[in-house]
C-alpha cells in the first residue's frame, strides 16, 4: 500500500494524536503517488491530513475533493483505503467521515485499534447502505474494484523483476 496520500509536505504534527492541516498540496508532494500509481496501481492509503485550500475542516481521507484527484483527475481505479478511523481528525466524526470516505470513492475504512470505533463505523455504513441508494451504488463499485484487485504475484516482486 502506497501511503499516506496526499503526503504531509511541510505540515507539522502527528495525525494519530491531533488534527494536522496542510495549507495546500504541492506538486512535489503528489509526484511519488502519481508516478507509482501510473505504472503499477497499488492500493493507496488515504491520509487524515486536512488540506485547507481544498476542503477545510475535513481530512483528505473523507474528502470527495481530495479523493477525486485520484479517481477523476488521474483516472486511478485501484483500491483506496483510509488510514485508521481512530486517528484524531477522523475520530472526531467517525460516522460522518466513514460515510464521506466510502461515498467519495474510498473502498475500505481501516479500523484496527479501537473495536468500539469499528462498530460505530460499521453501524454508519449499514445505515447509509440501507437509506441511500447512491451510497449503495458506491459500495457495489468498491466491491467490484476489490474483487479485481488481488494481484497474481506480490507487488514488490513485480517491481523487482523489472530491474
Amino acid at each position: 500500500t502506497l501511503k499516506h496520500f496526499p503526503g504531509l509536505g511541510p505540515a507539522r504534527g502527528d495525525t494519530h494524536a491531533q488534527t494536522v492541516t496542510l495549507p495546500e498540496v504541492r506538486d512535489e508532494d503528489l509526484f511519488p503517488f502519481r508516478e507509482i500509481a501510473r505504472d503499477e496501481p497499488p492500493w493507496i492509503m488515504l491520509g487524515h491530513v486536512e488540506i485547507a485550500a481544498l476542503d477545510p475542516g475535513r481530512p483528505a481521507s473523507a474528502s470527495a475533493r481530495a479523493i477525486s484527484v485520484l479517481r477523476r483527475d488521474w483516472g486511478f481505479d485501484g483500491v483506496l483505503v483510509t488510514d485508521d478511523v481512530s486517528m484524531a481528525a477522523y475520530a472526531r466524526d467517525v460516522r460522518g467521515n466513514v460515510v464521506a470516505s466510502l461515498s467519495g470513492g474510498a473502498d475500505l475504512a481501516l479500523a484496527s485499534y479501537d473495536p468500539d470505533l469499528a462498530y460505530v463505523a460499521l453501524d454508519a455504513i449499514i445505515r447509509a447502505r440501507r437509506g441511500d441508494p447512491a451510497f449503495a451504488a458506491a459500495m457495489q463499485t468498491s466491491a467490484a474494484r476489490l474483487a479485481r484487485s488481488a494481484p497474481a504475484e506480490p507487488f514488490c516482486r513485480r517491481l523487482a523483476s523489472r530491474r
Side-chain angles (χ1 to χ4, degrees):
T1 301
L2 182 61
K3 60 184 201 173
H4 298 88
F5 182 86
L8 289 173
R12 298 285 180 246
D14 179 359
T15 57
H16 291 88
Q18 66 195 66
T19 298
V20 177
T21 303
L22 271 176
E24 62 187 0
V25 177
R26 305 171 309 180
D27 284 339
E28 60 262 30
D29 299 325
L30 296 177
F31 178 79
F33 294 99
R34 188 174 26 244
E35 290 304 304
I36 293 172
R38 178 181 301 148
D39 293 338
E40 283 290 332
W43 286 27
I44 295 178
M45 180 175 279
L46 302 166
H48 294 323
V49 65
E50 293 182 3
I51 307 165
L54 189 61
D55 199 352
R58 184 175 294 278
S61 54
S63 169
R65 291 180 187 155
I67 295 169
S68 75
V69 169
L70 291 160
R71 295 283 188 223
R72 187 191 65 225
D73 299 350
W74 298 358
F76 181 77
D77 196 35
V79 174
L80 296 178
V81 58
T82 71
D83 207 340
D84 199 276
V85 301
S86 67
M87 294 171 66
Y90 206 90
R92 70 176 182 232
D93 180 17
V94 170
R95 288 181 177 281
N97 284 330
V98 76
V99 170
S101 295
L102 298 175
S103 62
D107 301 298
L108 298 168
L110 179 63
S112 61
Y113 291 109
D114 186 333
D116 292 334
L117 289 181
Y119 287 112
V120 170
L122 186 57
D123 181 65
I125 292 166
I126 291 168
R127 289 174 188 272
R129 195 166 195 295
R130 286 182 182 155
D132 183 352
F135 184 86
M139 295 298 82
Q140 290 294 91
T141 300
S142 288
R145 198 168 14 246
L146 287 162
R148 66 177 181 268
S149 73
E153 68 178 311
F155 177 66
C156 58
R157 192 173 305 145
R158 285 183 282 158
L159 283 179
S161 68
R162 289 191 196 171
R163 294 181 181 176

